[in-house]
Amino acid sequence: MAESHGEISGHDCRRPAPVQTFNHRSSKWVRLNVGGTYFLTTRQTLCRDPKSFLFRLCQSEPDLDSDKDESGAYLIDRDPMYFGPVLNYLRHGKLVLNKNLTEEGALEEAEFYNITSLIKLIKEKISEKEAKTTHSPVKHVYRVLQCQEEELTQMVSTMSDGWKFEQLVSIGSSYNYGNEDQAEFLCVVSKELHNQSYSSNSQPSEKAKILQERGSRI
């Protein structure tokens, strides 16, 4: 349960919540002020991990000093948007992040609160995401270049930036320059694109595919 600016979520937000002083040592309920947002939860939830910061905070004689505000809520200078998922993890054992939150940000909070099982879970999720990116299939983009016979050598030798020669297709026509006939060709070249730089515009064109098929029959 969370509240912002003195109003508890789940209650009528138009009515300011009364300021209450909680006896954290005897009550099963604990009030936390995380970055200006109030959270109300049970001691049992906060004590799920006996090595965590939150467990130590709830002990009858805590070994760490934490300030309280005027309502008796423990003051914690952390991001409340990430504390919500951390608290829910302690409640039901699942990590649920909104689309504007990241695993890396949640890991920072889990390490601050020293919740070992959550740290392990997030690191596994990050590793799985990185593995998917690393092993994603390589994409190719194709280009078709038109050139004359005398231009072929220069064109192939000057290709750079990852482009490589694929196929040469004669288009069956020629131009006459003076007394010499110049055959004309289509040169198919390709380039590998990694997943992060790949876009729909990088798909091989139908023309390139047809030319490749024609070239394989030559």
Side-chain angles (χ1 to χ4, degrees), residues 78-79 81-83 85-86 89 94-113 115 117-133:
R78 302 298 292 183
D79 189 341
M81 292 187 66
Y82 279 99
F83 183 73
V86 170
Y89 172 80
K94 297 180 181 179
L95 177 64
V96 181
L97 296 176
N98 295 332
K99 62 181 180 180
N100 58 328
L101 302 179
T102 65
E103 282 91 356
E104 290 77 9
L107 180 60
E108 288 289 333
E109 298 306 301
E111 290 177 337
F112 172 81
Y113 296 111
I115 303 173
S117 59
L118 181 56
I119 293 172
K120 179 182 178 182
L121 175 62
I122 298 175
K123 285 184 176 181
E124 289 175 352
K125 287 182 175 292
I126 293 175
S127 297
E128 290 174 1
K129 183 173 64 175
E130 291 176 348
K132 289 180 180 179
T133 302

Side-chain angles (χ1 to χ4, degrees), residues 20-47:
Q20 302 179 33
T21 301
F22 287 81
N23 184 343
H24 294 271
R25 301 294 178 257
S26 60
S27 173
K28 71 174 184 178
W29 292 97
V30 179
R31 185 181 173 99
L32 305 170
N33 181 344
V34 183
T37 299
Y38 287 92
F39 294 85
L40 189 61
T41 187
T42 64
R43 292 165 58 86
Q44 181 181 4
T45 296
L46 296 180
C47 293

Side-chain angles (χ1 to χ4, degrees), residues 101-160:
L101 302 179
T102 65
E103 282 91 356
E104 290 77 9
L107 180 60
E108 288 289 333
E109 298 306 301
E111 290 177 337
F112 172 81
Y113 296 111
N114 195 33
I115 303 173
T116 54
S117 59
L118 181 56
I119 293 172
K120 179 182 178 182
L121 175 62
I122 298 175
K123 285 184 176 181
E124 289 175 352
K125 287 182 175 292
I126 293 175
S127 297
E128 290 174 1
K129 183 173 64 175
E130 291 176 348
K132 289 180 180 179
T133 302
T134 303
H135 296 95
S136 59
V138 177
K139 308 295 182 180
H140 290 82
V141 59
Y142 292 85
R143 285 183 179 176
V144 180
L145 308 174
Q146 184 174 350
C147 62
Q148 296 173 2
E149 184 176 3
E150 62 180 9
E151 299 171 332
L152 278 175
T153 302
Q154 180 182 3
M155 183 192 68
V156 173
S157 63
T158 56
M159 283 193 302
S160 60

